[in-house]
Amino acid sequence: MQEGPAARRDTATWALIIASAAGFMAALDNLVVTTALPSIRADLGGGLGDLEWTVSAYTLTFAVLLMLGAALGDRFGRRLLFSVGLGIFTVASAGAALAPGMEALIAARAVQGLGAAIMMPLTLTLLSAAVAPERRGFAFGVWGAVNGLAVAAGPLIGGTLTEHISWQWIFWINVPLGAVLLPLALLRLNESRGPYPRLDLVGTAFVSLGMFGIVYALIRGNSDGWSSSAVLAGLIGGTVLIAVFVAYERRTANPMLPMRLFRSRAFSAVNAASLFMFVGMFGSIFLLSQFLQDVGGYSPMEAGVRMLPWTAMPMIAAPIAGALSDRFGGQPVVVTGLVFQATGVALLALVVSTDVSYPQLVPSLVISGLGMGFFFAPTANLVMSSVRPEEQGIASGANNALREVGGALGVATMSAVFSAQGGYLSARQFVDGLTPALWVGTLAVLLAAGAAALVPRQTGRTREKGAERPDPVTA
């Protein structure tokens, strides 16, 4: 029995609320813990390595298991697996808040990453299935605004909760949200599945281990040394396993990521743009938040407040970008956003100094925020429309995995440039390292804009006509 128009609108509204809220939870935990680390160390003890793993345990499991989460959703049901992932994430958040020591906290963070990896790629497939093609741009705009805000505002939220309540509340905040969303997901979302009857466990193992090796090496490279045996083993071994994964996927009957998808110029280009954009954006936010504290003299919460011209702008820009993509197509909006983002980071590189005033930073922060907002929503729409409807789950998983890898690569690469040219001993040394690192971030975002320019341009009318049968192999 088919739903009527009113019922379909109701389903779409609930899907937008649930997907956006769940995406916010998963994206927030990428950076929310960073400003709470000193308080966690004072309370639970542990050394620098323990603090690094408090951050890395989540990032690693999130990145390497994203594609497995999407594949499980395609196999067993997207609503079911989304609910399972949401439940795991919620319980693990409570475990992190109750952790009696660093080992328990690190373990809970890893389980959080597992839950996020299952539910995050399914937010887009559930949303895409519920929303009419002509309204997906706006829906993805709202989803993108909420997720972009969560990623960028993580340090502010973490600093505020830690300073005014306790560090445990950066995890407790997920528990009531999860408790409300879980029954709503089971009652309000429609079930759907992907096309493949069997899981590709061998391919999943190759790509998961390969991504683990690469991401582990990127995270540990600065602290262990880029020539250390563990880092080299991760980089070389991970690259070899990814190559084996590609070769295997080309030959297996039921691939978790069909390699023919990359014959699509749209799919390949938009994923390359996502990777490079997160290299520049994540690395810049990571270093700029430290600049505001170490050179500007602000507390963690004060620094987060002063990042608001960047972090809050996606809430305004992303819904507008979604509506514009419905009218003019996603490609020109994404390219415009990336040009804004590159311009903002370049302006930061030009103005940062030991005595720069905050008002001098505001224009670059606003431009960067506009760019980030214009990027998120149309990119999600481009990814989902570049593949067949039954393959949107795995496409979403691949795109999110590349974003996470891009973020880890950005922090590692820009930190390496920072360490080579400067350091933390003085404000002058910090600026000496920050400036060239920001130029590297600018270059990464410009590469993203170049990749996005290769996406075939479609108008809203063209996309609507072809929305039900996208051609994933059109060059």
mmCIF file of all heavy atoms in Angstrom, residues 309-327:
data_model
loop_
_atom_site.group_PDB
_atom_site.id
_atom_site.type_symbol
_atom_site.label_atom_id
_atom_site.label_comp_id
_atom_site.label_asym_id
_atom_site.label_seq_id
_atom_site.Cartn_x
_atom_site.Cartn_y
_atom_site.Cartn_z
ATOM 1 N N PRO A 309 32.374 32.965 14.006
ATOM 2 C CA PRO A 309 32.139 33.440 12.645
ATOM 3 C C PRO A 309 32.414 32.370 11.587
ATOM 4 O O PRO A 309 31.832 32.415 10.495
ATOM 5 C CB PRO A 309 33.119 34.613 12.513
ATOM 6 C CG PRO A 309 33.269 35.125 13.905
ATOM 7 C CD PRO A 309 33.236 33.891 14.760
ATOM 8 N N TRP A 310 33.284 31.422 11.889
ATOM 9 C CA TRP A 310 33.528 30.279 11.010
ATOM 10 C C TRP A 310 32.534 29.161 11.304
ATOM 11 O O TRP A 310 31.881 28.618 10.425
ATOM 12 C CB TRP A 310 34.959 29.775 11.205
ATOM 13 C CG TRP A 310 35.408 28.722 10.223
ATOM 14 C CD1 TRP A 310 34.633 27.927 9.442
ATOM 15 C CD2 TRP A 310 36.762 28.375 9.919
ATOM 16 N NE1 TRP A 310 35.408 27.079 8.681
ATOM 17 C CE2 TRP A 310 36.722 27.342 8.958
ATOM 18 C CE3 TRP A 310 38.000 28.813 10.371
ATOM 19 C CZ2 TRP A 310 37.878 26.754 8.447
ATOM 20 C CZ3 TRP A 310 39.153 28.233 9.860
ATOM 21 C CH2 TRP A 310 39.094 27.222 8.907
ATOM 22 N N THR A 311 32.405 28.802 12.594
ATOM 23 C CA THR A 311 31.666 27.594 12.947
ATOM 24 C C THR A 311 30.159 27.747 12.814
ATOM 25 O O THR A 311 29.459 26.776 12.530
ATOM 26 C CB THR A 311 32.004 27.174 14.382
ATOM 27 O OG1 THR A 311 31.632 28.230 15.277
ATOM 28 C CG2 THR A 311 33.490 26.894 14.544
ATOM 29 N N ALA A 312 29.631 28.946 13.051
ATOM 30 C CA ALA A 312 28.179 29.133 12.983
ATOM 31 C C ALA A 312 27.697 29.429 11.569
ATOM 32 O O ALA A 312 26.513 29.243 11.267
ATOM 33 C CB ALA A 312 27.749 30.266 13.916
ATOM 34 N N MET A 313 28.575 29.880 10.693
ATOM 35 C CA MET A 313 28.164 30.268 9.354
ATOM 36 C C MET A 313 27.520 29.131 8.546
ATOM 37 O O MET A 313 26.582 29.373 7.785
ATOM 38 C CB MET A 313 29.358 30.847 8.592
ATOM 39 C CG MET A 313 28.996 31.540 7.290
ATOM 40 S SD MET A 313 27.823 32.909 7.507
ATOM 41 C CE MET A 313 28.794 34.014 8.527
ATOM 42 N N PRO A 314 27.961 27.860 8.677
ATOM 43 C CA PRO A 314 27.292 26.798 7.923
ATOM 44 C C PRO A 314 25.808 26.661 8.222
ATOM 45 O O PRO A 314 25.039 26.229 7.362
ATOM 46 C CB PRO A 314 28.063 25.540 8.355
ATOM 47 C CG PRO A 314 29.427 26.036 8.672
ATOM 48 C CD PRO A 314 29.202 27.375 9.312
ATOM 49 N N MET A 315 25.367 27.032 9.412
ATOM 50 C CA MET A 315 23.941 26.949 9.717
ATOM 51 C C MET A 315 23.132 27.875 8.815
ATOM 52 O O MET A 315 21.988 27.580 8.458
ATOM 53 C CB MET A 315 23.695 27.318 11.180
ATOM 54 C CG MET A 315 24.208 26.305 12.178
ATOM 55 S SD MET A 315 23.607 26.645 13.846
ATOM 56 C CE MET A 315 21.863 26.325 13.645
ATOM 57 N N ILE A 316 23.733 28.995 8.452
ATOM 58 C CA ILE A 316 23.066 29.948 7.576
ATOM 59 C C ILE A 316 23.272 29.586 6.107
ATOM 60 O O ILE A 316 22.346 29.610 5.296
ATOM 61 C CB ILE A 316 23.587 31.370 7.841
ATOM 62 C CG1 ILE A 316 23.342 31.759 9.313
ATOM 63 C CG2 ILE A 316 22.961 32.379 6.895
ATOM 64 C CD1 ILE A 316 24.008 33.057 9.717
ATOM 65 N N ALA A 317 24.505 29.219 5.770
ATOM 66 C CA ALA A 317 24.866 29.045 4.363
ATOM 67 C C ALA A 317 24.398 27.726 3.771
ATOM 68 O O ALA A 317 24.015 27.670 2.597
ATOM 69 C CB ALA A 317 26.389 29.172 4.204
ATOM 70 N N ALA A 318 24.421 26.638 4.562
ATOM 71 C CA ALA A 318 24.132 25.328 3.980
ATOM 72 C C ALA A 318 22.703 25.186 3.470
ATOM 73 O O ALA A 318 22.498 24.653 2.372
ATOM 74 C CB ALA A 318 24.462 24.222 4.986
ATOM 75 N N PRO A 319 21.675 25.615 4.202
ATOM 76 C CA PRO A 319 20.322 25.530 3.614
ATOM 77 C C PRO A 319 20.179 26.368 2.344
ATOM 78 O O PRO A 319 19.485 25.961 1.405
ATOM 79 C CB PRO A 319 19.424 26.059 4.745
ATOM 80 C CG PRO A 319 20.195 25.831 5.990
ATOM 81 C CD PRO A 319 21.631 26.051 5.613
ATOM 82 N N ILE A 320 20.811 27.536 2.320
ATOM 83 C CA ILE A 320 20.780 28.352 1.103
ATOM 84 C C ILE A 320 21.470 27.613 -0.044
ATOM 85 O O ILE A 320 20.983 27.595 -1.177
ATOM 86 C CB ILE A 320 21.465 29.706 1.358
ATOM 87 C CG1 ILE A 320 20.700 30.491 2.434
ATOM 88 C CG2 ILE A 320 21.562 30.520 0.066
ATOM 89 C CD1 ILE A 320 21.407 31.755 2.872
ATOM 90 N N ALA A 321 22.609 26.987 0.277
ATOM 91 C CA ALA A 321 23.332 26.226 -0.748
ATOM 92 C C ALA A 321 22.488 25.084 -1.277
ATOM 93 O O ALA A 321 22.497 24.787 -2.482
ATOM 94 C CB ALA A 321 24.648 25.698 -0.173
ATOM 95 N N GLY A 322 21.742 24.411 -0.379
ATOM 96 C CA GLY A 322 20.880 23.329 -0.831
ATOM 97 C C GLY A 322 19.801 23.815 -1.787
ATOM 98 O O GLY A 322 19.536 23.177 -2.808
ATOM 99 N N ALA A 323 19.185 24.950 -1.474
ATOM 100 C CA ALA A 323 18.164 25.503 -2.365
ATOM 101 C C ALA A 323 18.757 25.931 -3.696
ATOM 102 O O ALA A 323 18.158 25.723 -4.762
ATOM 103 C CB ALA A 323 17.479 26.686 -1.679
ATOM 104 N N LEU A 324 19.956 26.528 -3.659
ATOM 105 C CA LEU A 324 20.619 26.930 -4.904
ATOM 106 C C LEU A 324 20.976 25.719 -5.758
ATOM 107 O O LEU A 324 20.884 25.770 -6.988
ATOM 108 C CB LEU A 324 21.879 27.736 -4.585
ATOM 109 C CG LEU A 324 21.659 29.146 -4.027
ATOM 110 C CD1 LEU A 324 22.997 29.762 -3.616
ATOM 111 C CD2 LEU A 324 20.958 30.037 -5.058
ATOM 112 N N SER A 325 21.373 24.626 -5.107
ATOM 113 C CA SER A 325 21.715 23.428 -5.877
ATOM 114 C C SER A 325 20.479 22.821 -6.529
ATOM 115 O O SER A 325 20.561 22.225 -7.605
ATOM 116 C CB SER A 325 22.413 22.399 -4.981
ATOM 117 O OG SER A 325 21.518 21.860 -4.027
ATOM 118 N N ASP A 326 19.314 22.945 -5.870
ATOM 119 C CA ASP A 326 18.078 22.499 -6.509
ATOM 120 C C ASP A 326 17.796 23.307 -7.775
ATOM 121 O O ASP A 326 17.262 22.779 -8.758
ATOM 122 C CB ASP A 326 16.894 22.658 -5.544
ATOM 123 C CG ASP A 326 16.855 21.574 -4.477
ATOM 124 O OD1 ASP A 326 17.447 20.510 -4.696
ATOM 125 O OD2 ASP A 326 16.232 21.799 -3.427
ATOM 126 N N ARG A 327 18.155 24.574 -7.755
ATOM 127 C CA ARG A 327 17.845 25.471 -8.885
ATOM 128 C C ARG A 327 18.912 25.393 -9.976
ATOM 129 O O ARG A 327 18.592 25.342 -11.169
ATOM 130 C CB ARG A 327 17.731 26.907 -8.360
ATOM 131 C CG ARG A 327 17.443 27.953 -9.422
ATOM 132 C CD ARG A 327 16.053 27.821 -9.995
ATOM 133 N NE ARG A 327 15.802 28.816 -11.029
ATOM 134 C CZ ARG A 327 15.371 30.051 -10.792
ATOM 135 N NH1 ARG A 327 15.146 30.437 -9.535
ATOM 136 N NH2 ARG A 327 15.157 30.890 -11.781
#
